[in-house]
Amino acid sequence: MSTGRLTIDLDALVANWRALDAMTQCKTAAVVKADGYGLGAANVAKALFKAGVRQFFVAVAEEAIAVREELGAKPEICVFSGHMKGDTDLIRELGLTPMLNSVEQLTHHLETLPDHPFGIQLDTGMNRLGLEIQEWAAVAELALAQKPRLVMSHLACADEPDHPMNPYQLAQFRKMTDGISAPRSLAATGGILLGPEYHFDLTRPGIGMYGGFPFEKAAAVVELDLPVIQVRDVAEGEVVGYGNAWQATRPSRIATVSGGYADGVMRILSDRAKLYHGATVCPLVGRVSMDLLTIDVTDLPEPPSKLTLIGPQQSVDDLARAANTIGYEVLTQLGGRYGRKTFGK
Ligand SMILES: *Cc1c(COP(=O)(O)O)cnc(C)c1O
């Protein structure tokens, strides 16, 4: 096989969800947007459903199709983007719960699907999605009379526990929702870790389940091995790859592996990424190509047949740091060409 192999451990994913669930006294949903953070929404949702999860969140209505198909009618599937024009048929046919973000969405929903469940998303300072405090004041009575399934907001800085934005948003959320009878939700992964005053009735973890920061104690969920296509010896002074970007300073052995920026190995990792053979580090040398990487394997006793990019020696977050990004981006960019092996429940 000449494509990389991505191994997805659903038992680890379920264990991470359980660990996050055990940190709160309230209900715990699961966020499976962006195809389950790149790992396959249907597989992820199926494993979580078996573990007892009954409420899922997606970003847009179209993402709910695969989840509903896999899980049947029972679990609740909520849509962060709410009820856009054009979503009405999907929301009705799949029985989705849109998180309504504006007065327009609320009006549109009540007009087109008057008895259909919905939730409300409030903006508490992030200025991304949700009704602002004055808008909410104007429509709260009307909206609450329709018994929303959930009233939620989202934290902008929850992965920085000491950030003053956290207590500010908490106070705003309380100001907007204290005393209502609808269930409330403020916390994603970061919010769960901030403590019980952030938990309310439901939490919505994503990244922590998938093994990423800020849930430091998460079990690893993915491994990525890349096959070596060719190995060659280069003399001191020879150059490797596009732009002659790397030059050997000693007689070297270079392994060319399958995987490149088209597979989510970002080009910024040129000359920066490390791959591993067991515990031995093998640096990426020269530029990341679309489909290939060149790796210095001079220090290995034997030419390797594969090298590991994500594994025990290098987590998703380690790789993200090398690429100047976050684990969320590394996961959601994992390419469609990898052979995917999913194991666990
Ligand atoms: C993505 C998202 C989540 C999940 O966040 P994580 O940081 O991955 O746990 C929860 N709520 C909203 C509104 C989101 O957009």
Side-chain angles (χ1 to χ4, degrees), residues 194-210:
L194 291 180
E197 66 273 41
Y198 288 85
H199 296 166
F200 294 92
D201 302 297
L202 180 85
T203 64
R204 319 178 304 268
I207 193 72
M209 302 188 305
Y210 302 99

Side-chain angles (χ1 to χ4, degrees), residues 20 31 33 37 57 59 80 121 126 128-129 152-155 185-192 203-210 213-214 328:
L20 291 163
V31 178
K33 62 189 178 188
Y37 288 45
F57 286 85
F80 286 135
Q121 184 156 197
M126 188 178 188
R128 194 180 65 167
L129 279 179
M152 61 164 281
S153 187
H154 192 51
L155 297 167
S185 176
L186 181 60
T189 303
I192 294 173
T203 64
R204 319 178 304 268
I207 193 72
M209 302 188 305
Y210 302 99
F213 179 84
Y328 299 74

Side-chain angles (χ1 to χ4, degrees), residues 157-174:
C157 305
D159 56 357
E160 297 175 58
D162 298 326
H163 202 294
M165 188 67 168
N166 297 320
Y168 171 78
Q169 286 192 269
L170 176 62
Q172 287 295 103
F173 190 58
R174 296 200 66 141

Side-chain angles (χ1 to χ4, degrees), residues 312-340:
Q313 310 296 332
Q314 178 163 258
S315 69
V316 167
D317 288 308
D318 295 333
L319 185 63
R321 231 167 280 125
N324 235 330
T325 182
I326 54 178
Y328 299 74
E329 190 177 23
V330 169
L331 285 175
T332 55
Q333 296 305 304
L334 290 168
R337 287 197 289 201
Y338 296 132
R340 289 174 177 239

